[in-house]
Amino acid sequence: MQMVHLYVFCQQPDRVAIVTGGTDGIGYATTKYLARLGMHVIIAGNNDAKAQEVIRKIREETLNSKVEFLYCDLGSMTSIRQFVHKFKMRNVPLHVLVNNAGVMMVPQRQTKDGFEEHLGVNYLGHFLLTNLLLDTLKDSGSPGCCARVVTVSSATHYVGELNLDDLQGSRGCYSPHGAYAQSKLALVLFTYRLQRLLAAQGSHVTANVVDPGVVNTDLYRHVFWGTRLVKRVLGWLLFKTPEEGAWTTIYAAVTPELEGVGGRYFYNEKETRSLPVTYDQKLQQQLWATSCQLTGLPDGSRGAILR
């Protein structure tokens, strides 16, 4: 599947970005492209040895030495807080946060904090990370040059169901696909709520969510063997490359067309409608409040906007 991209983005040498999961797949392609634009890119990941080789390659290919790695395990609230502390100690701005990392259809298991892994890594980890970095994002944005939060969801969210009474999926038969879809649905609801809060506060920060499409990455290692076989035989025809999959993320992160635009769902660089339930503002609020409780954050959104 080949796509023709007609966008040429300006160099952005003074801007700083964080990309979670930037050592593989879509995250790697995103990191490399942002580095080509001259951005200072920090990869947030949990594989230090692999990251060092990735950084060497990206620096060599892009001629940008401002690419680095900071350890961050999204399955650990402690690790996320340590990452944010180390980042803030550098006293640098943050113009782009790409919430990209994730797991897909893994067997039933828990994070270090006891959360179901899809919920903990894909959703709660990014919820906490984003909230802890919001003050820096707000300080870095300015009129006509907003800081941006770009969150990677999936078309799988269209079949997701959000069970606020049992987000862990512990009361019934565990479904890896259902847990994955729920985590991606939660990311869309989170993005819309975040944008409403940012807009209500007059912040120069925008939040959008993107769907990369079906991409040929290692995330498929846990799916049914028949799916893996199809991927191996017909992957070149049915699946996007990681570079193609990353393009909508890059578009949302840097295109001038989206300056000041937030609360949107993008697929193939075009705004599209997400699942109807994602626009339910009461559900957005309820998920936000529950997420604050689970991550130990105060719910500063209460009373911040009309509900």
Side-chain angles (χ1 to χ4, degrees):
M1 180 185 294
Q2 295 297 319
M3 302 172 66
V4 178
H5 304 296
L6 303 179
Y7 304 100
V8 178
F9 301 126
C10 298
Q11 290 291 302
Q12 304 190 31
D14 298 323
R15 293 174 70 81
V16 180
I18 291 175
V19 180
T20 67
T23 59
D24 292 287
I26 296 171
Y28 172 79
T30 300
T31 299
K32 187 163 65 172
Y33 198 97
L34 295 179
R36 282 203 180 104
L37 294 177
M39 295 183 73
H40 177 181
V41 188
I42 298 171
I43 295 173
N46 61 3
N47 189 331
D48 185 75
K50 184 173 186 178
Q52 298 312 315
E53 176 60 19
V54 165
I55 288 170
R56 184 196 64 78
K57 286 180 61 178
I58 293 177
R59 286 177 175 176
E60 187 176 277
E61 292 179 24
T62 65
L63 302 180
N64 183 349
S65 62
K66 298 179 296 183
V67 181
E68 56 183 314
F69 171 82
L70 276 180
Y71 185 87
C72 182
D73 179 358
L74 287 168
S76 166
M77 301 289 127
T78 298
S79 179
I80 293 168
R81 291 180 181 276
Q82 290 173 342
F83 167 86
V84 172
H85 176 72
K86 289 178 182 177
F87 172 75
K88 289 186 176 182
M89 288 291 289
R90 298 179 175 214
N91 196 30
V92 296
L94 178 60
H95 303 98
V96 177
L97 171 62
V98 179
N99 292 322
N100 163 82
V103 295
M104 187 172 92
M105 298 185 213
V106 296
Q108 187 172 18
R109 57 196 187 198
Q110 295 183 330
T111 66
K112 294 180 174 66
D113 302 292
F115 299 123
E116 186 279 320
E117 191 166 355
H118 294 95
L119 177 73
V121 173
N122 295 0
Y123 173 62
L124 290 175
H126 285 119
F127 178 88
L128 178 62
L129 178 67
T130 303
N131 274 280
L132 294 178
L133 290 171
L134 271 184
D135 55 347
T136 306
L137 285 160
K138 290 175 182 178
D139 290 342
S140 304
S142 60
C145 193
C146 288
R148 304 186 185 190
V149 179
V150 180
T151 297
V152 180
S153 181
S154 163
T156 309
H157 92 273
Y158 286 110
V159 297
E161 295 182 5
L162 191 73
N163 186 349
L164 285 172
D165 295 324
D166 186 25
L167 285 173
Q168 307 271 23
S170 59
R171 297 179 188 172
C173 181
Y174 178 76
S175 165
H177 185 274
Y180 175 70
Q182 178 184 242
S183 70
K184 293 299 183 178
L185 174 59
L187 287 171
V188 181
L189 287 156
F190 156 66
T191 299
Y192 293 167
R193 177 67 176 178
L194 175 61
Q195 176 59 37
R196 293 190 74 229
L197 291 168
L198 292 168
Q201 297 163 2
S203 300
H204 300 298
V205 183
T206 59
N208 288 300
V209 61
V210 300
D211 173 4
V214 183
V215 184
N216 190 352
T217 72
D218 287 341
L219 280 176
Y220 284 88
R221 62 184 177 275
H222 293 294
V223 302
F224 174 62
W225 68 267
T227 303
R228 295 199 303 272
L229 179 61
V230 171
K231 173 177 174 287
R232 177 170 295 185
V233 175
L234 298 175
W236 63 274
L237 181 63
L238 301 178
F239 292 75
K240 293 180 181 180
T241 65
E243 290 73 20
E244 291 167 338
W247 196 252
T248 301
T249 300
I250 296 161
Y251 173 78
V254 300
T255 181
E257 294 180 15
L258 296 185
E259 176 55 42
V261 176
R264 312 295 173 85
Y265 184 94
F266 292 97
Y267 173 65
N268 284 348
E269 302 96 67
K270 294 181 180 179
E271 182 183 350
T272 188
R273 297 283 292 179
S274 53
L275 186 68
V277 74
T278 59
Y279 300 99
D280 184 333
Q281 294 178 14
K282 182 177 180 180
L283 184 60
Q284 294 169 13
Q285 176 205 346
Q286 290 173 332
L287 175 63
W288 187 281
T290 300
S291 304
C292 286
Q293 293 173 359
L294 292 174
T295 57
L297 290 173
D299 186 359
S301 74
R302 291 185 181 277
I305 56 178
L306 293 177
R307 296 194 286 266

